[in-house]
Amino acid sequence: MISVEGLKVEFGVKPLFVDASFVVNDRDRIALVGKNGAGKSTMLKILCGQQKATAGTVSIPNDCRIGYLPQVMVLQDDTTVREEAQKAFSDITRMRERLDQMNQQLAERTDYESESYLALIEKYTTEHERYMMMGAENYEAEIERTLMGLGFLRTDFDRPTSEFSGGWRMRIELAKILLQKPDVLLLDEPTNHLDIESIQWLEQFLAQSSSAVVLVSHDRAFINNVSNRTLEISCGRVIDYKVKYNEYVVLRKERREQQLRAYENQQKEVADMKAFIERFRYQATKAVQVQQKIKQLEKVVPIEIDEVDNSAMHLKFPPCLRSGDYPVICDEVRKDYGSHTVFDHVSLTIKRGEKVAFVGKNGEGKSTLVKCIMGEIPFTGELKIGYNIQIGYFAQNQAQLLDESLTVFQTIDNVAKGEIRLRINDILGAFMFGGEESDKKVKVLSGGERSRLAMIRLLLEPVNLLILDEPTNHLDMPSKDVLKEAIKAFDGTAIIVSHDREFLDGLVTKVYEFGGGRVREHLGGIYDFLRRKQISELNELGKETNSFPVGNNQFPTEKQRVSYRETDSREPDDSQPAISKALSYAEHKEQQKRLKRAEKAVKESESKIEKMEQRLKELDELLMNPENASDMELVTEYTSIKKSLDDEVERWERLSEELESITVN
């Protein structure tokens, strides 16, 4: 599909990569990996024709359609979300306009027997068949499925794009590219502004897509779930591994070990031959053998060993002052924007030394609560910041706020104070900005390099409460590992807002889930949390518990629901005072009516849950069939029912609480 031969790219004296050759085939899922600054984004720009290589050729068939998602994009501000997404179907729109014109002509003309009229009918028929084959009648439904899969609500469809943040605009652009169904998808860090659920939806979409995919991502779980091939850019070379990312990591290590062993054996043979030649060079009886050894030595081709890029960020947070036992305490915190309630009844306590994660869909209030903790926005309720707390804050857009006209050194020099200014070069060197790198302008830095530079600013002052809002965006995998280890070793408290599952794994011991205006606490790591969510999504509820606590995130089984209802809404026994003893006759009658209504609502909710659970089971069985694996209608129905089931379970919990309160009172 796309053939690359002898590609070379130079910026200044040192080439970015040389002699790169590979082919992108149909249905390839290629992960393009390498350190920040290795040339991954540059390679994607060359493949889509936005940038020219210094040397080499890129061959693309004329009928090959390429969809490219860059890290940074510009969207128009005069359209709605739906209108922007409809641009993906501009060909269909123009075709429909032509069909409408031809249809009008056919209705107005009366020369039914003329050749031109018959030719118009034939042209209309052919065009209409093409129109139907392109699935033109269903494109509105496709737009809705894709936008909702990426996290948009139906109420967002007619909102202007100017009302959305950069992250949500990136989702709009991603939706347009996916809807175009190009032959090759080039995606540059598509997960940077997606929440976990949207990432999982995108994984599923790409796995079922017929397009070839070349993607750059620093989300290890995402690229491993999507890729079936890995291209590594390292030390100016491009190495092709025909396996997914996790297998590539193993193969790369094995390949280098084999090369080292072969190189060592070859060096030993060469040393033996040289020793033989030197020992018997002047003995006439060994002259023939010496000449043979010399010829063998001349024919030896040195075994090459893959270079390893060992440059890495060395990150260590400075020692911090001891804070109070409870750095953050929230009690009934609420935040409204106009008539919209972002969250309510938020009560949580974060202890000193804890590492916790804030997760949930975008727009559910993660960054908003962070801003409340920072004191940047007003709120209602009580929020206490502990004694002797010093906060270090890394925002999502921190890297974009850097002054592009400054150099790397000037950027840090402007914020450094006191003795720290004497150690700027040492700090920059630890973050891989040593030597000439420190004289680079910020405007020429890649996204990952900007993130590293923004992270340096965070380290200039010792803090004991780290608040990191999407800190891994644009960081490569080695740098993410270094940051993860540094946070683990940090002796203060950390709040991490992130969608990166691998980064959070083994780092946090508590997860706060934001959703539906509520914040729920989950003890354990991120995969403990995801495992519970996964069970509910796949309807694997064979493991029953003795009780179903209101507010947890697993769906109750029928047995649990009945047990819960019988336990909490049973009639009072002889040892308990009857309701009527404390109430007048009229009050008692009204109480009984409320009780019956509440019981009826709970039963109706349970009935709905049972029907949806049954349908999910049926869809699960259908999707397990390979023939239905690419049926997006089934996938969409499954996703829609799953969301409705989530909402209904929350409603059931609420109704059960109301029923309990009526019974108790």
Side-chain angles (χ1 to χ4, degrees):
M1 190 174 290
I2 298 179
S3 177
V4 176
E5 293 183 10
L7 209 63
K8 180 180 181 180
V9 175
E10 289 180 338
F11 290 122
V13 179
K14 186 179 179 181
L16 199 58
F17 44 78
V18 295
D19 197 27
S21 300
F22 58 90
V23 176
V24 179
N25 301 305
D26 292 344
R27 297 193 64 82
D28 267 349
R29 305 282 188 271
I30 299 175
L32 195 58
V33 301
K35 297 181 71 66
N36 284 333
K40 302 185 296 295
S41 296
T42 301
M43 180 67 80
L44 292 185
K45 290 176 183 176
I46 291 172
L47 293 180
C48 73
Q50 287 193 6
Q51 189 168 319
K52 297 294 184 183
T54 308
T57 58
V58 178
S59 302
I60 304 174
N62 292 331
D63 59 348
C64 179
R65 295 175 301 130
I66 295 178
Y68 172 53
L69 178 74
Q71 285 188 34
V72 182
M73 65 208 65
V74 178
L75 289 177
Q76 296 182 14
D77 286 336
D78 58 349
T79 60
T80 64
V81 173
R82 188 193 301 273
E83 290 169 345
E84 192 68 28
Q86 285 173 343
K87 292 179 180 179
F89 297 94
S90 56
D91 292 343
I92 289 179
T93 304
R94 287 193 294 269
M95 189 179 294
R96 186 166 61 186
E97 290 173 355
R98 290 198 301 270
L99 285 171
D100 289 342
Q101 291 174 359
M102 286 189 283
N103 196 33
Q104 186 176 352
Q105 290 179 33
L106 290 171
E108 292 174 352
R109 291 175 59 169
T110 56
D111 54 333
Y112 308 122
E113 303 297 329
S114 67
E115 290 185 8
S116 61
Y117 190 87
L118 294 175
L120 183 59
I121 290 177
E122 186 175 351
K123 183 179 179 182
Y124 178 86
T125 304
T126 304
E127 196 83 350
H128 188 265
E129 285 177 355
R130 280 187 59 212
Y131 180 76
M132 298 303 291
M133 286 174 64
M134 292 172 70
E137 295 298 315
N138 299 320
Y139 82 90
E140 288 289 351
E142 278 194 62
I143 288 175
E144 290 193 7
R145 281 198 296 267
T146 305
L147 288 175
M148 292 179 72
L150 290 173
F152 289 93
L153 302 175
R154 290 186 186 277
T155 53
D156 294 330
F157 292 175
D158 296 316
R159 289 174 57 192
T161 59
S162 57
E163 294 182 6
F164 291 87
S165 66
W168 283 98
R169 290 182 170 204
M170 192 280 292
R171 294 190 190 206
I172 298 171
E173 191 67 16
L174 177 58
K176 285 167 56 180
I177 293 169
L178 297 180
L179 287 167
Q180 289 169 358
K181 298 179 181 177
D183 300 306
V184 181
L185 275 168
L186 306 177
L187 306 178
D188 197 349
E189 300 195 21
T191 62
N192 269 359
H193 299 284
L194 299 183
D195 51 57
I196 289 176
E197 292 185 13
S198 297
I199 291 173
Q200 291 173 333
W201 178 88
L202 182 59
E203 284 178 3
Q204 189 177 43
F205 183 95
L206 294 177
Q208 296 170 353
S209 171
S210 59
S211 304
V213 180
V214 182
L215 66 94
V216 174
S217 177
H218 298 141
D219 186 327
R220 185 180 279 108
F222 175 73
I223 64 171
N224 193 57
N225 291 338
V226 172
S227 66
N228 59 16
R229 183 177 162 197
T230 306
L231 283 178
E232 180 191 29
I233 302 179
S234 178
C235 299
R237 297 180 60 198
V238 177
I239 306 168
D240 192 354
Y241 294 84
K242 310 290 187 181
V243 293
K244 62 171 57 181
Y245 181 80
N246 277 0
E247 296 173 27
Y248 141 76
V249 174
V250 176
L251 285 179
R252 180 182 59 175
K253 184 178 179 182
E254 291 177 352
R255 169 177 167 154
R256 194 164 190 278
E257 288 175 350
Q258 290 171 357
Q259 289 174 340
L260 279 170
R261 286 195 296 269
Y263 177 79
E264 289 169 359
N265 291 335
Q266 186 185 62
Q267 290 302 304
K268 186 177 181 302
E269 290 178 7
V270 169
D272 290 342
M273 284 189 282
K274 286 182 177 179
F276 183 90
I277 293 169
E278 288 300 322
R279 182 177 179 184
F280 299 109
R281 181 184 295 273
Y282 303 108
Q283 292 187 19
T285 57
K286 299 286 187 179
V288 175
Q289 291 157 295
V290 168
Q291 289 301 315
Q292 288 176 343
K293 294 291 184 184
I294 291 173
K295 289 179 181 178
Q296 289 176 11
L297 194 59
E298 290 172 350
K299 292 179 181 179
V300 170
V301 178
I303 292 174
E304 293 185 359
I305 303 174
D306 291 343
E307 292 183 64
V308 176
D309 195 341
N310 290 316
S311 57
M313 182 173 71
H314 300 285
L315 175 58
K316 184 179 180 181
F317 291 100
C320 63
L321 296 174
R322 181 182 174 89
S323 70
D325 290 339
Y326 302 101
V328 179
I329 300 176
C330 295
D331 185 19
E332 294 295 311
V333 173
R334 174 185 177 126
K335 176 59 187 174
D336 299 303
Y337 284 116
S339 60
H340 173 60
T341 300
V342 182
F343 47 69
D344 194 7
H345 302 298
V346 176
S347 297
L348 58 87
T349 300
I350 299 175
K351 299 177 183 177
R352 184 183 68 244
E354 280 189 329
K355 312 293 190 293
V356 304
F358 284 2
V359 303
K361 289 185 176 180
N362 290 347
E364 292 290 354
K366 303 186 298 297
S367 297
T368 301
L369 184 57
V370 165
K371 290 176 181 176
C372 292
I373 295 172
M374 294 291 298
E376 294 181 357
I377 56 175
F379 56 89
T380 58
E382 190 172 4
L383 196 160
K384 294 181 181 177
I385 301 300
Y387 170 74
N388 205 25
I389 291 296
Q390 298 172 320
I391 299 177
Y393 180 40
F394 183 90
Q396 285 190 49
N397 62 342
Q398 202 89 21
Q400 280 70 48
L401 297 177
L402 299 173
D403 188 340
E404 294 190 342
S405 65
L406 300 178
T407 65
V408 170
F409 183 89
Q410 290 169 339
T411 300
I412 302 304
D413 188 47
N414 286 353
V415 295
K417 298 177 182 178
E419 294 182 1
I420 199 75
R421 296 190 66 184
L422 302 176
R423 299 195 295 115
I424 289 179
N425 284 326
D426 294 336
I427 295 172
L428 290 175
F431 277 78
M432 298 158 57
F433 286 118
E436 296 179 357
E437 296 291 314
S438 64
D439 295 326
K440 278 186 176 180
K441 293 278 190 181
V442 171
K443 63 183 177 183
V444 303
L445 299 181
S446 68
E449 289 169 326
R450 291 190 184 204
S451 290
R452 292 207 309 269
L453 187 59
M455 193 67 70
I456 297 175
R457 293 161 63 107
L458 183 62
L459 294 176
L460 292 179
E461 295 182 9
V463 298
N464 50 26
L465 174 58
L466 274 175
I467 302 178
L468 306 176
D469 196 351
E470 301 291 359
T472 62
N473 281 1
H474 304 295
L475 284 185
D476 58 26
M477 278 172 273
S479 296
K480 285 201 301 185
D481 291 339
V482 172
L483 177 60
K484 181 175 178 177
E485 291 304 316
I487 297 173
K488 278 185 180 180
F490 176 57
D491 51 4
T493 308
I495 298 172
I496 304 156
V497 182
S498 180
H499 59 260
D500 191 324
R501 295 156 287 179
E502 290 295 322
F503 180 73
L504 294 175
D505 183 31
L507 177 59
V508 300
T509 55
K510 190 186 293 182
V511 176
Y512 288 101
E513 179 194 8
F514 288 67
R518 299 170 65 185
V519 179
R520 298 178 177 88
E521 180 184 276
H522 300 267
L523 298 179
I526 187 64
Y527 276 104
D528 295 323
F529 164 70
L530 283 178
R531 199 172 296 115
R532 289 193 291 269
K533 299 291 285 183
Q534 186 89 9
I535 289 172
S536 66
E537 289 171 0
L538 298 179
N539 203 26
E540 297 174 352
L541 288 173
K543 302 175 183 176
E544 298 181 1
T545 56
N546 294 328
S547 63
F548 178 69
V550 175
N552 86 358
N553 292 296
Q554 285 181 279
F555 296 150
T557 62
E558 171 58 19
K559 183 176 179 180
Q560 288 171 330
R561 288 195 293 267
V562 173
S563 172
Y564 185 86
R565 187 175 68 247
E566 289 176 349
T567 301
D568 293 312
S569 59
R570 58 181 179 270
E571 292 296 325
D573 57 26
D574 294 338
S575 64
Q576 297 172 318
I579 294 175
S580 56
K581 291 181 181 178
L583 301 172
S584 67
Y585 175 76
E587 290 172 331
H588 174 66
K589 191 173 181 180
E590 179 61 29
Q591 186 85 330
Q592 291 298 317
K593 286 183 180 178
R594 289 177 58 207
L595 186 62
K596 287 181 180 178
R597 285 198 298 268
E599 287 178 339
K600 182 180 178 182
V602 169
K603 288 179 180 178
E604 287 177 351
S605 179
E606 289 173 352
S607 177
K608 289 181 181 178
I609 289 172
E610 288 173 25
K611 290 178 181 176
M612 285 188 278
E613 286 177 342
Q614 183 59 38
R615 181 54 181 160
L616 281 179
K617 285 181 182 178
E618 294 171 0
L619 290 171
D620 202 29
E621 291 175 1
L622 288 171
L623 289 169
M624 290 295 287
N625 189 334
E627 295 178 358
N628 299 321
S630 60
D631 191 333
M632 288 304 297
E633 291 187 5
L634 290 179
V635 174
T636 303
E637 184 183 357
Y638 187 97
T639 305
S640 175
I641 294 177
K642 169 62 181 60
K643 185 178 185 304
S644 300
L645 184 55
D646 284 337
D647 295 339
E648 190 60 37
V649 168
E650 285 193 11
R651 179 171 173 268
W652 176 85
E653 292 174 0
R654 193 168 58 252
L655 292 171
S656 297
E657 287 177 331
E658 292 173 2
L659 178 58
E660 181 184 1
S661 65
I662 293 171
T663 305
V664 171
N665 296 329

